[in-house]
Amino acid sequence: MRLIIEPDYDKMSVWAAEYVARRINEAKPTEGQPFKLGLPTGSSPLGMYRHLVKLNKEGKVSFRNVITFNMDEYVGLRESHPESYHSFMWNNFFSHIDIRKENVNILNGNAPDLQAECESYEERIRKAGGIDLFLGGIGPDGHIAFNEPGSSLASRTRQKTLTTDTIIANSRFFEGDINQVPKTALTVGVATVMDAKEVLIMVNGHNKAQALRHAVEEPISQMWTISALQMHPHGIIVCDEAACDLLTHGTYKYFLDIEKNNL
């Protein structure tokens, strides 16, 4: 695992965006051999999305031959709802870049058969040839996508009940009213994410410090699903200084030292 420590959220976001752009450009994707990118929602990736939009408008990266798969979507929230993840992605990213609409894949939380929708999503990923780079953030309890504490590390795309902590945290997007927050979501599984060739996780803020410590220093556990990244051959965490507050001094200095000359 690599741990990239940046001074603040803005620099963390730029690092992540530049890494994504470099990976896409190195792959030289074509219509017949596209680059497959897994994408998150939430506050953590917003800065990265803004910088990727900037790079796209400057002609430094193109998404025309990129296929995307989003991590999750609420169940029962209409796609046009301002807080649906469909809306989030189009408002904050897709509408501002040169991606083709048919290359965007987001789970349908209103499908008549939710289990079939989840199985179909896994099949779409397989048919695309797997995901080249899966991006993500984590919750304060270390969950990745909506794989809450206790989720199987072998889990696949499925419907998941959200914890009270997650519902409370997400209520800030629903006028602070927890009763407006959907209680379940469709989410890719931990194993779905870990099947990607590379995984890049963004972690920012002191409220994520405990989760980062469990991801880097503690044993692998289904109670901190981000810890599964320890088993990935090409796992990267990029974080800001605030998220490092609970790392031991030795761990902090070690990663600063080995990554000081790396991009």
Side-chain angles (χ1 to χ4, degrees):
M1 180 195 296
R2 295 179 63 189
L3 178 63
I4 311 297
I5 302 170
E6 292 293 323
D8 54 39
Y9 174 77
D10 289 340
K11 288 184 172 58
M12 178 199 83
S13 300
V14 169
W15 192 98
E18 297 281 350
Y19 187 87
V20 172
R22 187 165 70 252
R23 280 290 180 261
I24 293 172
N25 290 333
E26 287 171 350
K28 297 180 173 61
T30 63
E31 188 171 351
Q33 291 186 311
F35 189 88
K36 288 86 66 181
L37 187 62
L39 296 175
T41 54
S43 56
S44 295
L46 281 173
M48 177 194 68
Y49 287 146
R50 286 192 291 267
H51 194 66
L52 281 173
V53 169
K54 178 175 180 288
L55 293 175
N56 179 245
K57 292 187 180 304
E58 291 173 350
K60 294 179 180 178
V61 65
S62 172
F63 294 89
R64 182 158 181 79
N65 293 316
V66 173
I67 296 177
T68 64
F69 290 90
N70 260 77
M71 279 187 158
D72 39 34
E73 178 57 287
Y74 289 119
V75 169
L77 208 63
R78 67 184 188 279
E79 289 185 8
S80 60
H81 190 286
E83 297 306 332
S84 77
Y85 291 157
H86 280 75
S87 293
F88 177 98
M89 292 306 302
W90 285 101
N91 292 339
N92 291 294
F93 191 42
F94 295 146
S95 294
H96 308 286
I97 59 173
D98 62 342
I99 195 164
R100 290 183 284 192
K101 188 173 183 179
E102 62 268 26
N103 284 350
V104 171
N105 293 276
I106 305 177
L107 284 154
N108 179 7
N110 294 289
D113 186 334
L114 294 176
Q115 182 175 343
E117 169 67 9
C118 294
E119 292 171 357
S120 172
Y121 205 67
E122 289 280 340
E123 182 61 22
R124 274 184 272 168
I125 293 173
R126 283 193 290 271
K127 284 185 175 179
I131 292 173
D132 295 302
L133 173 61
F134 219 132
L135 309 175
I138 57 173
D141 59 6
H143 73 258
I144 183 171
F146 274 130
N147 294 287
E148 308 277 17
S151 295
S152 168
L153 301 185
S155 57
R156 292 287 174 182
T157 304
R158 68 210 185 283
Q159 185 174 358
K160 194 75 176 65
T161 300
L162 306 184
T163 66
T164 300
D165 285 345
T166 295
I167 291 169
I168 291 172
N170 288 359
S171 67
R172 70 188 188 276
F173 303 117
F174 292 84
E175 302 175 344
D177 183 358
I178 62 171
N179 295 313
Q180 293 187 40
V181 184
K183 303 303 184 286
T184 62
L186 302 185
T187 180
V188 296
V190 178
T192 312
V193 176
M194 295 301 146
D195 275 352
K197 294 175 185 175
E198 285 188 280
V199 179
L200 171 60
I201 303 297
M202 291 161 279
V203 185
N204 63 286
H206 175 76
N207 67 322
K208 306 289 181 67
Q210 188 175 13
L212 182 63
R213 178 174 62 83
H214 277 273
V216 176
E217 295 184 335
E218 299 296 326
I220 297 169
S221 168
Q222 80 280 7
M223 298 310 293
W224 297 85
T225 52
I226 184 56
S227 65
L229 192 64
Q230 295 176 28
M231 296 295 291
H232 199 284
H234 300 290
I236 305 172
I237 294 176
V238 58
C239 66
D240 62 7
E241 287 279 355
C244 297
D245 285 353
L246 297 181
L247 293 180
T248 63
H249 181 71
T251 297
Y252 174 81
K253 296 292 287 184
Y254 170 77
F255 281 106
L256 278 181
D257 178 57
I258 66 170
E259 295 289 352
K260 63 179 179 290
N261 296 319
N262 292 333
L263 296 175

